[in-house]
Amino acid sequence: VLLANEKLSVPITCKIRVFPEIDRTVKYAQMLEKAGCQLLTVHGRTKEQKGPLAGVASWEHIQAVRKAVSIPVFANGNIQCLSDVEECIRKTGVHGVMSAEGNLHNPALFEGRNPLVWEMAEEYLEIVQKYPCPLSYVRAHLFKLWHHTLQVYQQLREELGKVKTLEGILDVNRELKLRCQEEIAHQKEGEKPKEGLPFFHWICQPYIRPGPRERCKENGASGTEKGVRGKRALEEEEDGNSELLSKNKQKKKLRNPNKSFDPSLKPKYAKCDQCGNPKVSQC
């Protein structure tokens, strides 16, 4: 950061995750400010809080950083709708807010709207046709936008994962739209969204990822069983569920929809008596 600030004419901005300790996080932020960072975004989760271990972001850490530095600070984490943006700014005093997954599931988040999914999907696909990009990017965006609907229409989920052309993706998108419109046409008066969703699945809304404690309960693990279970153990239990896999495994799943992450199917290696890792010739 110091070298970039000295050599470049553009402002240097940084984004960090927090340490478990607030004091350590504050010292790190102050170090970046001293090095020349001119705008700092603080993601209120630790580096370990990813995938199934994401949990809730700490706005307390972000607030402490905001008070300790003189440069503009942006907050990141727990932003699922516009009211979250307003609450975050009020509680932390930051100058701005970023949103990742919340904005991917509902691109109209910062407008305070919850539009029909296909409206956002069609608008996005129009941009893609005008400004082409790798198909994997398009597929990933549509998996986010149609997330709740794809839980209902699993076959179309598989098709979206396998299709190899933009035309094929457009076809799947049209079919998803038709299925939703048929559902709306046959909807009974007073019917409520299923699966505990705030809106019907064809409306843009956030996907609330289960926290690590919820995941442990689902898998029958008690809170005292060896403390919080490791990330790898949780990932292994997911057995190919691409919404709960790590981002790297989700990419592999998109390239090869038939790929399984079932740990029982992995090749078995002889273990080293000393360290427990796979045994090699030097052991």
Side-chain angles (χ1 to χ4, degrees):
V1 173
L2 182 66
L3 185 62
N5 186 52
E6 288 176 354
K7 300 293 184 182
L8 301 177
S9 59
V10 295
I12 302 302
T13 67
C14 299
K15 184 182 177 189
I16 63 169
R17 281 179 172 249
V18 299
F19 292 102
E21 306 83 7
I22 291 179
D23 289 348
R24 192 178 173 194
T25 305
V26 166
K27 286 178 182 177
Y28 188 55
Q30 290 172 328
M31 180 181 70
L32 288 169
E33 179 183 28
K34 188 176 180 181
C37 171
Q38 295 174 52
L39 184 150
L40 179 64
T41 296
V42 184
H43 184 168
R45 295 184 177 91
T46 64
K47 65 178 182 179
E48 291 80 18
Q49 286 182 283
K50 294 180 180 179
L53 294 176
V56 178
S58 171
W59 286 356
E60 187 181 358
H61 283 67
I62 299 172
Q63 182 189 43
V65 171
R66 167 68 184 93
K67 290 178 178 178
V69 299
S70 58
I71 56 175
V73 175
F74 281 12
N76 182 210
N78 305 345
I79 306 299
Q80 302 287 0
C81 55
L82 189 60
S83 61
D84 294 332
V85 174
E86 295 158 353
E87 185 182 2
C88 182
I89 291 174
R90 179 175 57 82
K91 286 189 174 181
T92 63
V94 292
H95 302 84
V97 169
M98 286 186 177
S99 174
E101 286 203 339
N103 198 45
L104 288 170
H105 286 282
N106 178 14
L109 186 155
F110 288 101
E111 292 181 352
R113 295 192 301 121
N114 292 90
L116 295 165
V117 174
W118 63 79
E119 288 182 6
M120 294 289 96
E122 288 174 346
E123 183 178 332
Y124 170 66
L125 288 169
E126 283 178 13
I127 295 170
V128 169
Q129 290 174 84
K130 191 174 180 181
Y131 306 102
C133 66
L135 206 63
S136 60
Y137 296 3
V138 183
R139 201 193 317 269
H141 274 292
L142 291 182
F143 267 121
K144 293 289 186 185
L145 282 168
W146 285 110
H147 171 83
H148 297 291
T149 299
L150 291 171
Q151 309 309 305
V152 178
Y153 301 113
Q154 291 285 337
Q155 184 181 351
L156 289 173
R157 178 190 176 90
E158 290 180 16
E159 287 184 29
L160 183 58
K162 293 177 182 177
V163 70
K164 302 293 184 184
T165 63
L166 181 58
E167 290 70 24
I169 284 181
L170 290 166
D171 289 340
V172 174
N173 192 69
R174 277 191 288 269
E175 184 60 29
L176 284 165
K177 176 181 177 179
L178 286 173
R179 297 278 184 99
C180 290
Q181 289 176 329
E182 286 173 9
E183 251 190 271
I184 293 171
H186 294 94
Q187 197 174 3
K188 296 177 182 178
E189 189 177 348
E191 191 175 340
K192 294 183 179 180
K194 298 176 183 177
E195 305 298 331
L197 297 176
F199 305 107
F200 289 101
H201 63 78
W202 53 79
I203 295 174
C204 287
Q205 57 193 302
Y207 162 59
I208 310 298
R209 189 190 297 274
R213 289 183 182 179
E214 291 170 282
R215 289 290 304 160
C216 286
K217 285 178 182 177
E218 287 174 16
N219 292 303
S222 67
T224 57
E225 186 181 327
K226 296 183 181 178
V228 179
R229 304 174 73 183
K231 178 180 177 181
R232 180 170 294 180
L234 285 168
E235 284 185 348
E236 286 174 349
E237 287 174 355
E238 285 151 10
D239 191 19
N241 186 334
S242 62
E243 276 302 327
L244 296 172
L245 291 172
S246 67
K247 288 185 178 179
N248 189 40
K249 288 184 178 178
Q250 285 183 44
K251 289 177 183 176
K252 290 179 181 177
K253 190 77 174 174
L254 287 174
R255 291 195 294 268
N256 181 7
N258 297 319
K259 188 174 181 64
S260 173
F261 295 100
D262 185 347
S264 66
L265 300 178
K266 290 182 179 178
K268 304 298 180 183
Y269 298 99
K271 288 187 177 181
C272 173
D273 296 332
Q274 301 296 321
C275 66
N277 289 321
K279 196 171 185 178
V280 295
S281 58
Q282 287 84 358
C283 288

